[in-house]
Amino acid sequence: MRFARLGPVGSEIPVVLHDGKAFDLRSIAADIDGAFFAAGGVEAARVAVNSGSLPAVATDGVRVGAPIARPGKIVCVGLNYSDHAEETGATLPDEPVIFMKDPSTMVGPFDDVLIPRKSVKTDWEVELGVVIGATARYLDSPDDAAAVIAGYAVSHDVSEREFQLERGGTWDKGKSCETFNPFGPELVSADEVSDPQALGLRLWVNGVAHQNGTTANMAFGVHHIIWYLSQFMVLQPGDVINTGTPAGVAMGIEGQPYLREGDVVELEIDGLGRARQTMVQA
């Protein structure tokens, strides 16, 4: 199943995408959020689509919002690709590097991204986003993780490197600036992704390719990450995990071509769709 949310900011309509059409889900769910997943919304949507009971909605010219409503939390994994660690001069960690991102950073996949005031090092990062579909606490092993995954989406973990690395404290303030997590365009249910460790990720800036990686290069795979996180925090339905980025970020490129007003970033992941954002000065 593939899910999306369409309409103006704050008034998005939850839809399921099927046979090239969008079908209104409001008869079975108020929104695509934690309550939707906890109540078995994915399967309910499947049944409704198969029964033909959902009305179609227009999509032409309609804004595409993030495919889930504001998550309870966004948990991120740093330095999780061997090639990205190498380009930044870092050593792969023995355990996942974990930080949090303000949930209000989530915006639609085609919305503008605001470059923060006084920022000179705003950077791009294409990432596989994982949406949690069931409560996970103290999972016994990574083998238990698949059962708590609702689906996957393209995630853009925008970062301000000076704020993140040169201003002291934690990474969070370089990750939590307004609009710093475009998400989508679709949430693809877990059953449609046969192997989350076999997905290509790509990103372009102004038409120039910068990132071209694969989730096979993760130091810690998706299932390991979820198991690991569940030992330290309770993962709730609707939570999001950003699983790290491959090589090719501005910080690791000669000349460090950080994002500026007017730059256009395009990004995609195999089977999950393509997104596009324009940089705008805050």
Side-chain angles (χ1 to χ4, degrees):
M1 303 297 291
R2 293 172 178 262
F3 299 93
R5 296 169 66 250
L6 307 177
V9 176
S11 300
E12 294 90 346
I13 294 172
V15 302
V16 59
L17 306 172
H18 182 69
D19 284 344
K21 296 181 180 179
F23 295 92
D24 193 335
L25 280 173
R26 287 177 293 177
S27 62
I28 63 173
D31 210 340
I32 301 172
D33 54 13
F36 172 80
F37 299 118
V42 173
E43 185 57 32
R46 192 188 314 277
V47 171
V49 166
N50 291 337
S51 71
S53 63
L54 299 176
V57 297
T59 59
D60 289 347
V62 178
R63 172 184 172 271
V64 179
I68 65 167
R70 179 171 170 171
K73 57 181 172 287
I74 301 174
V75 188
C76 304
V77 184
L79 298 174
N80 196 33
Y81 282 73
S82 55
D83 53 355
H84 176 53
E86 181 179 355
E87 74 173 346
T88 59
T91 302
L92 281 175
D94 295 328
E95 297 188 35
V97 174
I98 303 301
F99 59 93
M100 308 293 282
K101 192 159 189 159
D102 181 352
S104 71
T105 59
M106 184 173 286
V107 295
F110 306 105
D111 291 346
D112 292 341
V113 169
L114 299 177
I115 296 177
R117 296 180 183 181
K118 300 183 179 180
S119 166
V120 294
K121 295 184 178 181
T122 295
D123 205 346
W124 59 80
E125 294 188 21
V126 60
E127 305 203 6
L128 175 64
V130 182
V131 177
I132 298 299
T135 301
R137 55 163 59 84
Y138 298 115
L139 296 180
D140 289 332
S141 79
D143 293 338
D144 298 322
V148 304
I149 298 173
Y152 301 92
V154 179
S155 187
H156 189 181
D157 177 19
V158 186
S159 308
E160 213 296 341
R161 302 301 189 188
E162 181 188 8
F163 298 176
Q164 175 190 357
L165 301 172
E166 301 173 31
R167 298 288 296 274
T170 67
W171 286 11
D172 298 42
K173 64 179 175 287
K175 298 284 189 171
S176 292
C177 303
E178 187 178 10
T179 72
F180 262 28
N181 204 149
F183 202 71
E186 302 173 1
L187 172 67
V188 179
S189 60
D191 61 292
E192 291 202 12
V193 179
S194 59
D195 185 357
Q197 304 308 144
L199 301 175
L201 310 85
R202 292 165 291 276
L203 181 145
W204 300 259
V205 179
N206 300 327
V208 177
H210 285 293
Q211 291 188 278
N212 185 6
T214 170
T215 56
N217 285 338
M218 284 185 182
F220 304 99
V222 170
H223 292 172
H224 182 96
I225 291 167
I226 293 172
W227 162 78
Y228 181 84
L229 290 174
S230 78
Q231 310 307 305
F232 302 97
M233 65 185 77
V234 178
L235 299 175
Q236 303 281 5
D239 287 349
V240 168
I241 302 171
N242 287 335
T243 56
T245 197
V249 299
M251 181 173 61
I253 297 174
E254 184 177 356
Q256 297 186 323
Y258 290 111
L259 294 167
R260 298 290 183 260
E261 183 173 20
D263 285 344
V264 175
V265 177
E266 297 173 275
L267 55 159
E268 68 180 13
I269 298 178
D270 292 345
L272 304 185
R274 188 177 178 105
R276 182 181 189 273
Q277 298 109 39
T278 299
M279 303 297 117
V280 176
Q281 183 62 53

PDB file of all heavy atoms in Angstrom, residues 99-133:
ATOM      1  N   PHE A  99      20.866  10.825  17.570  1.00  0.00           N
ATOM      2  CA  PHE A  99      20.460  12.173  17.969  1.00  0.00           C
ATOM      3  C   PHE A  99      19.002  12.358  17.597  1.00  0.00           C
ATOM      4  O   PHE A  99      18.421  11.564  16.852  1.00  0.00           O
ATOM      5  CB  PHE A  99      21.345  13.242  17.313  1.00  0.00           C
ATOM      6  CG  PHE A  99      21.329  13.226  15.807  1.00  0.00           C
ATOM      7  CD1 PHE A  99      20.442  14.016  15.093  1.00  0.00           C
ATOM      8  CD2 PHE A  99      22.218  12.425  15.094  1.00  0.00           C
ATOM      9  CE1 PHE A  99      20.428  14.011  13.709  1.00  0.00           C
ATOM     10  CE2 PHE A  99      22.221  12.414  13.705  1.00  0.00           C
ATOM     11  CZ  PHE A  99      21.322  13.213  13.005  1.00  0.00           C
ATOM     12  N   MET A 100      18.401  13.412  18.123  1.00  0.00           N
ATOM     13  CA  MET A 100      16.983  13.680  17.887  1.00  0.00           C
ATOM     14  C   MET A 100      16.821  14.911  17.006  1.00  0.00           C
ATOM     15  O   MET A 100      17.672  15.805  16.981  1.00  0.00           O
ATOM     16  CB  MET A 100      16.244  13.896  19.211  1.00  0.00           C
ATOM     17  CG  MET A 100      16.458  12.794  20.237  1.00  0.00           C
ATOM     18  SD  MET A 100      15.730  11.214  19.761  1.00  0.00           S
ATOM     19  CE  MET A 100      14.001  11.528  20.149  1.00  0.00           C
ATOM     20  N   LYS A 101      15.709  14.936  16.306  1.00  0.00           N
ATOM     21  CA  LYS A 101      15.377  16.056  15.438  1.00  0.00           C
ATOM     22  C   LYS A 101      13.978  16.537  15.820  1.00  0.00           C
ATOM     23  O   LYS A 101      13.079  15.719  16.029  1.00  0.00           O
ATOM     24  CB  LYS A 101      15.420  15.596  13.976  1.00  0.00           C
ATOM     25  CG  LYS A 101      15.380  16.690  12.946  1.00  0.00           C
ATOM     26  CD  LYS A 101      15.941  16.185  11.625  1.00  0.00           C
ATOM     27  CE  LYS A 101      16.108  17.340  10.653  1.00  0.00           C
ATOM     28  NZ  LYS A 101      17.074  17.035   9.596  1.00  0.00           N
ATOM     29  N   ASP A 102      13.788  17.831  15.925  1.00  0.00           N
ATOM     30  CA  ASP A 102      12.487  18.394  16.284  1.00  0.00           C
ATOM     31  C   ASP A 102      11.416  17.892  15.312  1.00  0.00           C
ATOM     32  O   ASP A 102      11.550  18.083  14.097  1.00  0.00           O
ATOM     33  CB  ASP A 102      12.582  19.922  16.237  1.00  0.00           C
ATOM     34  CG  ASP A 102      11.292  20.616  16.624  1.00  0.00           C
ATOM     35  OD1 ASP A 102      10.261  19.938  16.797  1.00  0.00           O
ATOM     36  OD2 ASP A 102      11.303  21.853  16.728  1.00  0.00           O
ATOM     37  N   PRO A 103      10.339  17.247  15.798  1.00  0.00           N
ATOM     38  CA  PRO A 103       9.303  16.745  14.896  1.00  0.00           C
ATOM     39  C   PRO A 103       8.658  17.822  14.023  1.00  0.00           C
ATOM     40  O   PRO A 103       8.146  17.521  12.939  1.00  0.00           O
ATOM     41  CB  PRO A 103       8.276  16.128  15.847  1.00  0.00           C
ATOM     42  CG  PRO A 103       9.064  15.765  17.061  1.00  0.00           C
ATOM     43  CD  PRO A 103      10.102  16.845  17.200  1.00  0.00           C
ATOM     44  N   SER A 104       8.708  19.078  14.478  1.00  0.00           N
ATOM     45  CA  SER A 104       8.093  20.145  13.683  1.00  0.00           C
ATOM     46  C   SER A 104       8.901  20.486  12.438  1.00  0.00           C
ATOM     47  O   SER A 104       8.454  21.282  11.609  1.00  0.00           O
ATOM     48  CB  SER A 104       7.888  21.401  14.531  1.00  0.00           C
ATOM     49  OG  SER A 104       9.121  22.026  14.826  1.00  0.00           O
ATOM     50  N   THR A 105      10.093  19.890  12.278  1.00  0.00           N
ATOM     51  CA  THR A 105      10.878  20.123  11.060  1.00  0.00           C
ATOM     52  C   THR A 105      10.266  19.434   9.850  1.00  0.00           C
ATOM     53  O   THR A 105      10.619  19.757   8.710  1.00  0.00           O
ATOM     54  CB  THR A 105      12.320  19.599  11.224  1.00  0.00           C
ATOM     55  OG1 THR A 105      12.283  18.193  11.518  1.00  0.00           O
ATOM     56  CG2 THR A 105      13.057  20.332  12.321  1.00  0.00           C
ATOM     57  N   MET A 106       9.356  18.481  10.058  1.00  0.00           N
ATOM     58  CA  MET A 106       8.809  17.718   8.935  1.00  0.00           C
ATOM     59  C   MET A 106       7.891  18.579   8.077  1.00  0.00           C
ATOM     60  O   MET A 106       6.951  19.206   8.569  1.00  0.00           O
ATOM     61  CB  MET A 106       8.053  16.481   9.426  1.00  0.00           C
ATOM     62  CG  MET A 106       7.547  15.607   8.282  1.00  0.00           C
ATOM     63  SD  MET A 106       6.838  14.038   8.830  1.00  0.00           S
ATOM     64  CE  MET A 106       8.339  13.162   9.267  1.00  0.00           C
ATOM     65  N   VAL A 107       8.194  18.608   6.775  1.00  0.00           N
ATOM     66  CA  VAL A 107       7.387  19.337   5.795  1.00  0.00           C
ATOM     67  C   VAL A 107       7.176  18.428   4.589  1.00  0.00           C
ATOM     68  O   VAL A 107       7.672  17.303   4.535  1.00  0.00           O
ATOM     69  CB  VAL A 107       8.057  20.661   5.371  1.00  0.00           C
ATOM     70  CG1 VAL A 107       8.141  21.625   6.547  1.00  0.00           C
ATOM     71  CG2 VAL A 107       9.442  20.418   4.777  1.00  0.00           C
ATOM     72  N   GLY A 108       6.441  18.945   3.610  1.00  0.00           N
ATOM     73  CA  GLY A 108       6.155  18.155   2.425  1.00  0.00           C
ATOM     74  C   GLY A 108       7.364  17.997   1.524  1.00  0.00           C
ATOM     75  O   GLY A 108       8.330  18.767   1.601  1.00  0.00           O
ATOM     76  N   PRO A 109       7.314  17.010   0.621  1.00  0.00           N
ATOM     77  CA  PRO A 109       8.475  16.694  -0.216  1.00  0.00           C
ATOM     78  C   PRO A 109       8.788  17.731  -1.286  1.00  0.00           C
ATOM     79  O   PRO A 109       9.883  17.721  -1.843  1.00  0.00           O
ATOM     80  CB  PRO A 109       8.082  15.364  -0.854  1.00  0.00           C
ATOM     81  CG  PRO A 109       6.582  15.399  -0.884  1.00  0.00           C
ATOM     82  CD  PRO A 109       6.190  16.092   0.388  1.00  0.00           C
ATOM     83  N   PHE A 110       7.835  18.641  -1.547  1.00  0.00           N
ATOM     84  CA  PHE A 110       8.053  19.682  -2.551  1.00  0.00           C
ATOM     85  C   PHE A 110       7.967  21.087  -1.951  1.00  0.00           C
ATOM     86  O   PHE A 110       7.950  22.078  -2.674  1.00  0.00           O
ATOM     87  CB  PHE A 110       7.040  19.523  -3.697  1.00  0.00           C
ATOM     88  CG  PHE A 110       7.050  18.137  -4.294  1.00  0.00           C
ATOM     89  CD1 PHE A 110       6.035  17.244  -4.013  1.00  0.00           C
ATOM     90  CD2 PHE A 110       8.098  17.727  -5.102  1.00  0.00           C
ATOM     91  CE1 PHE A 110       6.056  15.952  -4.542  1.00  0.00           C
ATOM     92  CE2 PHE A 110       8.128  16.447  -5.643  1.00  0.00           C
ATOM     93  CZ  PHE A 110       7.100  15.558  -5.362  1.00  0.00           C
ATOM     94  N   ASP A 111       7.916  21.148  -0.627  1.00  0.00           N
ATOM     95  CA  ASP A 111       7.883  22.440   0.054  1.00  0.00           C
ATOM     96  C   ASP A 111       9.263  23.092   0.028  1.00  0.00           C
ATOM     97  O   ASP A 111      10.290  22.421  -0.106  1.00  0.00           O
ATOM     98  CB  ASP A 111       7.438  22.277   1.510  1.00  0.00           C
ATOM     99  CG  ASP A 111       5.973  21.878   1.641  1.00  0.00           C
ATOM    100  OD1 ASP A 111       5.234  21.985   0.637  1.00  0.00           O
ATOM    101  OD2 ASP A 111       5.580  21.465   2.748  1.00  0.00           O
ATOM    102  N   ASP A 112       9.284  24.421   0.184  1.00  0.00           N
ATOM    103  CA  ASP A 112      10.560  25.135   0.283  1.00  0.00           C
ATOM    104  C   ASP A 112      11.268  24.769   1.584  1.00  0.00           C
ATOM    105  O   ASP A 112      10.635  24.466   2.603  1.00  0.00           O
ATOM    106  CB  ASP A 112      10.338  26.648   0.258  1.00  0.00           C
ATOM    107  CG  ASP A 112       9.841  27.158  -1.082  1.00  0.00           C
ATOM    108  OD1 ASP A 112      10.007  26.448  -2.094  1.00  0.00           O
ATOM    109  OD2 ASP A 112       9.290  28.274  -1.112  1.00  0.00           O
ATOM    110  N   VAL A 113      12.597  24.807   1.533  1.00  0.00           N
ATOM    111  CA  VAL A 113      13.424  24.644   2.728  1.00  0.00           C
ATOM    112  C   VAL A 113      14.039  25.992   3.067  1.00  0.00           C
ATOM    113  O   VAL A 113      14.608  26.661   2.191  1.00  0.00           O
ATOM    114  CB  VAL A 113      14.530  23.596   2.504  1.00  0.00           C
ATOM    115  CG1 VAL A 113      15.541  23.613   3.643  1.00  0.00           C
ATOM    116  CG2 VAL A 113      13.924  22.211   2.355  1.00  0.00           C
ATOM    117  N   LEU A 114      13.928  26.390   4.324  1.00  0.00           N
ATOM    118  CA  LEU A 114      14.431  27.683   4.761  1.00  0.00           C
ATOM    119  C   LEU A 114      15.875  27.570   5.234  1.00  0.00           C
ATOM    120  O   LEU A 114      16.177  26.796   6.146  1.00  0.00           O
ATOM    121  CB  LEU A 114      13.571  28.231   5.904  1.00  0.00           C
ATOM    122  CG  LEU A 114      12.093  28.472   5.579  1.00  0.00           C
ATOM    123  CD1 LEU A 114      11.361  28.947   6.834  1.00  0.00           C
ATOM    124  CD2 LEU A 114      11.941  29.483   4.461  1.00  0.00           C
ATOM    125  N   ILE A 115      16.773  28.320   4.606  1.00  0.00           N
ATOM    126  CA  ILE A 115      18.145  28.411   5.087  1.00  0.00           C
ATOM    127  C   ILE A 115      18.140  29.326   6.306  1.00  0.00           C
ATOM    128  O   ILE A 115      17.684  30.468   6.235  1.00  0.00           O
ATOM    129  CB  ILE A 115      19.078  28.964   4.000  1.00  0.00           C
ATOM    130  CG1 ILE A 115      19.132  27.989   2.815  1.00  0.00           C
ATOM    131  CG2 ILE A 115      20.475  29.209   4.558  1.00  0.00           C
ATOM    132  CD1 ILE A 115      19.959  28.477   1.657  1.00  0.00           C
ATOM    133  N   PRO A 116      18.610  28.848   7.457  1.00  0.00           N
ATOM    134  CA  PRO A 116      18.503  29.647   8.684  1.00  0.00           C
ATOM    135  C   PRO A 116      19.261  30.973   8.582  1.00  0.00           C
ATOM    136  O   PRO A 116      20.244  31.099   7.840  1.00  0.00           O
ATOM    137  CB  PRO A 116      19.139  28.750   9.750  1.00  0.00           C
ATOM    138  CG  PRO A 116      19.074  27.373   9.183  1.00  0.00           C
ATOM    139  CD  PRO A 116      19.226  27.532   7.704  1.00  0.00           C
ATOM    140  N   ARG A 117      18.805  31.940   9.335  1.00  0.00           N
ATOM    141  CA  ARG A 117      19.531  33.202   9.434  1.00  0.00           C
ATOM    142  C   ARG A 117      20.933  32.944   9.975  1.00  0.00           C
ATOM    143  O   ARG A 117      21.116  32.135  10.875  1.00  0.00           O
ATOM    144  CB  ARG A 117      18.779  34.179  10.342  1.00  0.00           C
ATOM    145  CG  ARG A 117      17.419  34.591   9.790  1.00  0.00           C
ATOM    146  CD  ARG A 117      16.707  35.546  10.716  1.00  0.00           C
ATOM    147  NE  ARG A 117      15.382  35.875  10.212  1.00  0.00           N
ATOM    148  CZ  ARG A 117      14.532  36.707  10.818  1.00  0.00           C
ATOM    149  NH1 ARG A 117      14.895  37.298  11.958  1.00  0.00           N
ATOM    150  NH2 ARG A 117      13.346  36.947  10.290  1.00  0.00           N
ATOM    151  N   LYS A 118      21.906  33.609   9.398  1.00  0.00           N
ATOM    152  CA  LYS A 118      23.323  33.503   9.757  1.00  0.00           C
ATOM    153  C   LYS A 118      23.940  32.158   9.376  1.00  0.00           C
ATOM    154  O   LYS A 118      25.077  31.860   9.748  1.00  0.00           O
ATOM    155  CB  LYS A 118      23.538  33.783  11.250  1.00  0.00           C
ATOM    156  CG  LYS A 118      23.081  35.178  11.673  1.00  0.00           C
ATOM    157  CD  LYS A 118      23.377  35.438  13.145  1.00  0.00           C
ATOM    158  CE  LYS A 118      22.933  36.843  13.549  1.00  0.00           C
ATOM    159  NZ  LYS A 118      23.201  37.111  14.975  1.00  0.00           N
ATOM    160  N   SER A 119      23.201  31.353   8.633  1.00  0.00           N
ATOM    161  CA  SER A 119      23.757  30.070   8.209  1.00  0.00           C
ATOM    162  C   SER A 119      24.668  30.243   7.007  1.00  0.00           C
ATOM    163  O   SER A 119      24.334  30.943   6.054  1.00  0.00           O
ATOM    164  CB  SER A 119      22.630  29.099   7.833  1.00  0.00           C
ATOM    165  OG  SER A 119      23.138  27.978   7.122  1.00  0.00           O
ATOM    166  N   VAL A 120      25.823  29.572   7.045  1.00  0.00           N
ATOM    167  CA  VAL A 120      26.718  29.534   5.890  1.00  0.00           C
ATOM    168  C   VAL A 120      27.064  28.102   5.504  1.00  0.00           C
ATOM    169  O   VAL A 120      27.787  27.870   4.541  1.00  0.00           O
ATOM    170  CB  VAL A 120      28.024  30.319   6.154  1.00  0.00           C
ATOM    171  CG1 VAL A 120      27.745  31.799   6.300  1.00  0.00           C
ATOM    172  CG2 VAL A 120      28.739  29.781   7.393  1.00  0.00           C
ATOM    173  N   LYS A 121      26.521  27.121   6.268  1.00  0.00           N
ATOM    174  CA  LYS A 121      26.891  25.731   6.015  1.00  0.00           C
ATOM    175  C   LYS A 121      25.669  24.805   6.039  1.00  0.00           C
ATOM    176  O   LYS A 121      25.681  23.744   6.672  1.00  0.00           O
ATOM    177  CB  LYS A 121      27.937  25.270   7.034  1.00  0.00           C
ATOM    178  CG  LYS A 121      29.272  26.000   6.912  1.00  0.00           C
ATOM    179  CD  LYS A 121      30.322  25.441   7.865  1.00  0.00           C
ATOM    180  CE  LYS A 121      31.662  26.160   7.682  1.00  0.00           C
ATOM    181  NZ  LYS A 121      32.708  25.621   8.585  1.00  0.00           N
ATOM    182  N   THR A 122      24.614  25.196   5.334  1.00  0.00           N
ATOM    183  CA  THR A 122      23.447  24.326   5.215  1.00  0.00           C
ATOM    184  C   THR A 122      23.747  23.230   4.193  1.00  0.00           C
ATOM    185  O   THR A 122      24.155  23.501   3.071  1.00  0.00           O
ATOM    186  CB  THR A 122      22.200  25.123   4.805  1.00  0.00           C
ATOM    187  OG1 THR A 122      21.868  26.050   5.859  1.00  0.00           O
ATOM    188  CG2 THR A 122      21.013  24.223   4.567  1.00  0.00           C
ATOM    189  N   ASP A 123      23.525  21.984   4.593  1.00  0.00           N
ATOM    190  CA  ASP A 123      23.967  20.821   3.828  1.00  0.00           C
ATOM    191  C   ASP A 123      22.776  19.899   3.539  1.00  0.00           C
ATOM    192  O   ASP A 123      21.745  19.942   4.205  1.00  0.00           O
ATOM    193  CB  ASP A 123      25.028  20.058   4.637  1.00  0.00           C
ATOM    194  CG  ASP A 123      25.975  19.238   3.780  1.00  0.00           C
ATOM    195  OD1 ASP A 123      25.689  19.029   2.590  1.00  0.00           O
ATOM    196  OD2 ASP A 123      27.011  18.804   4.326  1.00  0.00           O
ATOM    197  N   TRP A 124      22.969  19.034   2.556  1.00  0.00           N
ATOM    198  CA  TRP A 124      21.936  18.083   2.136  1.00  0.00           C
ATOM    199  C   TRP A 124      22.284  16.681   2.618  1.00  0.00           C
ATOM    200  O   TRP A 124      23.447  16.333   2.801  1.00  0.00           O
ATOM    201  CB  TRP A 124      21.800  18.093   0.615  1.00  0.00           C
ATOM    202  CG  TRP A 124      23.094  17.741  -0.098  1.00  0.00           C
ATOM    203  CD1 TRP A 124      23.627  16.495  -0.306  1.00  0.00           C
ATOM    204  CD2 TRP A 124      24.023  18.666  -0.682  1.00  0.00           C
ATOM    205  NE1 TRP A 124      24.812  16.581  -0.990  1.00  0.00           N
ATOM    206  CE2 TRP A 124      25.087  17.898  -1.236  1.00  0.00           C
ATOM    207  CE3 TRP A 124      24.070  20.060  -0.814  1.00  0.00           C
ATOM    208  CZ2 TRP A 124      26.177  18.480  -1.896  1.00  0.00           C
ATOM    209  CZ3 TRP A 124      25.153  20.631  -1.461  1.00  0.00           C
ATOM    210  CH2 TRP A 124      26.189  19.847  -2.000  1.00  0.00           C
ATOM    211  N   GLU A 125      21.260  15.835   2.812  1.00  0.00           N
ATOM    212  CA  GLU A 125      21.469  14.420   3.159  1.00  0.00           C
ATOM    213  C   GLU A 125      20.229  13.625   2.755  1.00  0.00           C
ATOM    214  O   GLU A 125      19.186  13.743   3.399  1.00  0.00           O
ATOM    215  CB  GLU A 125      21.700  14.234   4.666  1.00  0.00           C
ATOM    216  CG  GLU A 125      22.976  14.830   5.213  1.00  0.00           C
ATOM    217  CD  GLU A 125      23.223  14.429   6.666  1.00  0.00           C
ATOM    218  OE1 GLU A 125      22.657  13.407   7.111  1.00  0.00           O
ATOM    219  OE2 GLU A 125      23.971  15.138   7.356  1.00  0.00           O
ATOM    220  N   VAL A 126      20.319  12.807   1.724  1.00  0.00           N
ATOM    221  CA  VAL A 126      19.221  11.902   1.390  1.00  0.00           C
ATOM    222  C   VAL A 126      19.288  10.695   2.319  1.00  0.00           C
ATOM    223  O   VAL A 126      20.362  10.152   2.569  1.00  0.00           O
ATOM    224  CB  VAL A 126      19.276  11.467  -0.094  1.00  0.00           C
ATOM    225  CG1 VAL A 126      20.564  10.745  -0.442  1.00  0.00           C
ATOM    226  CG2 VAL A 126      18.063  10.594  -0.420  1.00  0.00           C
ATOM    227  N   GLU A 127      18.139  10.306   2.869  1.00  0.00           N
ATOM    228  CA  GLU A 127      18.121   9.207   3.827  1.00  0.00           C
ATOM    229  C   GLU A 127      16.866   8.350   3.642  1.00  0.00           C
ATOM    230  O   GLU A 127      15.817   8.833   3.219  1.00  0.00           O
ATOM    231  CB  GLU A 127      18.154   9.734   5.264  1.00  0.00           C
ATOM    232  CG  GLU A 127      19.328  10.662   5.535  1.00  0.00           C
ATOM    233  CD  GLU A 127      19.715  10.751   6.998  1.00  0.00           C
ATOM    234  OE1 GLU A 127      19.143   9.996   7.816  1.00  0.00           O
ATOM    235  OE2 GLU A 127      20.609  11.562   7.313  1.00  0.00           O
ATOM    236  N   LEU A 128      16.995   7.084   4.012  1.00  0.00           N
ATOM    237  CA  LEU A 128      15.834   6.207   4.104  1.00  0.00           C
ATOM    238  C   LEU A 128      15.130   6.491   5.419  1.00  0.00           C
ATOM    239  O   LEU A 128      15.718   6.335   6.497  1.00  0.00           O
ATOM    240  CB  LEU A 128      16.274   4.740   4.050  1.00  0.00           C
ATOM    241  CG  LEU A 128      15.164   3.704   4.251  1.00  0.00           C
ATOM    242  CD1 LEU A 128      14.138   3.779   3.132  1.00  0.00           C
ATOM    243  CD2 LEU A 128      15.753   2.303   4.377  1.00  0.00           C
ATOM    244  N   GLY A 129      13.874   6.924   5.328  1.00  0.00           N
ATOM    245  CA  GLY A 129      13.073   7.161   6.518  1.00  0.00           C
ATOM    246  C   GLY A 129      12.215   5.940   6.823  1.00  0.00           C
ATOM    247  O   GLY A 129      11.606   5.354   5.927  1.00  0.00           O
ATOM    248  N   VAL A 130      12.192   5.550   8.088  1.00  0.00           N
ATOM    249  CA  VAL A 130      11.397   4.405   8.540  1.00  0.00           C
ATOM    250  C   VAL A 130      10.300   4.923   9.461  1.00  0.00           C
ATOM    251  O   VAL A 130      10.576   5.690  10.397  1.00  0.00           O
ATOM    252  CB  VAL A 130      12.265   3.382   9.293  1.00  0.00           C
ATOM    253  CG1 VAL A 130      11.432   2.181   9.720  1.00  0.00           C
ATOM    254  CG2 VAL A 130      13.442   2.945   8.429  1.00  0.00           C
ATOM    255  N   VAL A 131       9.049   4.508   9.219  1.00  0.00           N
ATOM    256  CA  VAL A 131       7.931   4.889  10.067  1.00  0.00           C
ATOM    257  C   VAL A 131       7.535   3.690  10.922  1.00  0.00           C
ATOM    258  O   VAL A 131       7.317   2.584  10.416  1.00  0.00           O
ATOM    259  CB  VAL A 131       6.735   5.375   9.234  1.00  0.00           C
ATOM    260  CG1 VAL A 131       5.546   5.695  10.135  1.00  0.00           C
ATOM    261  CG2 VAL A 131       7.124   6.606   8.421  1.00  0.00           C
ATOM    262  N   ILE A 132       7.466   3.906  12.221  1.00  0.00           N
ATOM    263  CA  ILE A 132       7.110   2.847  13.161  1.00  0.00           C
ATOM    264  C   ILE A 132       5.596   2.647  13.173  1.00  0.00           C
ATOM    265  O   ILE A 132       4.831   3.615  13.189  1.00  0.00           O
ATOM    266  CB  ILE A 132       7.628   3.190  14.572  1.00  0.00           C
ATOM    267  CG1 ILE A 132       9.161   3.304  14.570  1.00  0.00           C
ATOM    268  CG2 ILE A 132       7.176   2.136  15.585  1.00  0.00           C
ATOM    269  CD1 ILE A 132       9.877   2.042  14.173  1.00  0.00           C
ATOM    270  N   GLY A 133       5.186   1.381  13.175  1.00  0.00           N
ATOM    271  CA  GLY A 133       3.756   1.072  13.113  1.00  0.00           C
ATOM    272  C   GLY A 133       3.183   0.438  14.359  1.00  0.00           C
ATOM    273  O   GLY A 133       1.966   0.314  14.492  1.00  0.00           O
TER     274      GLY A 133
END
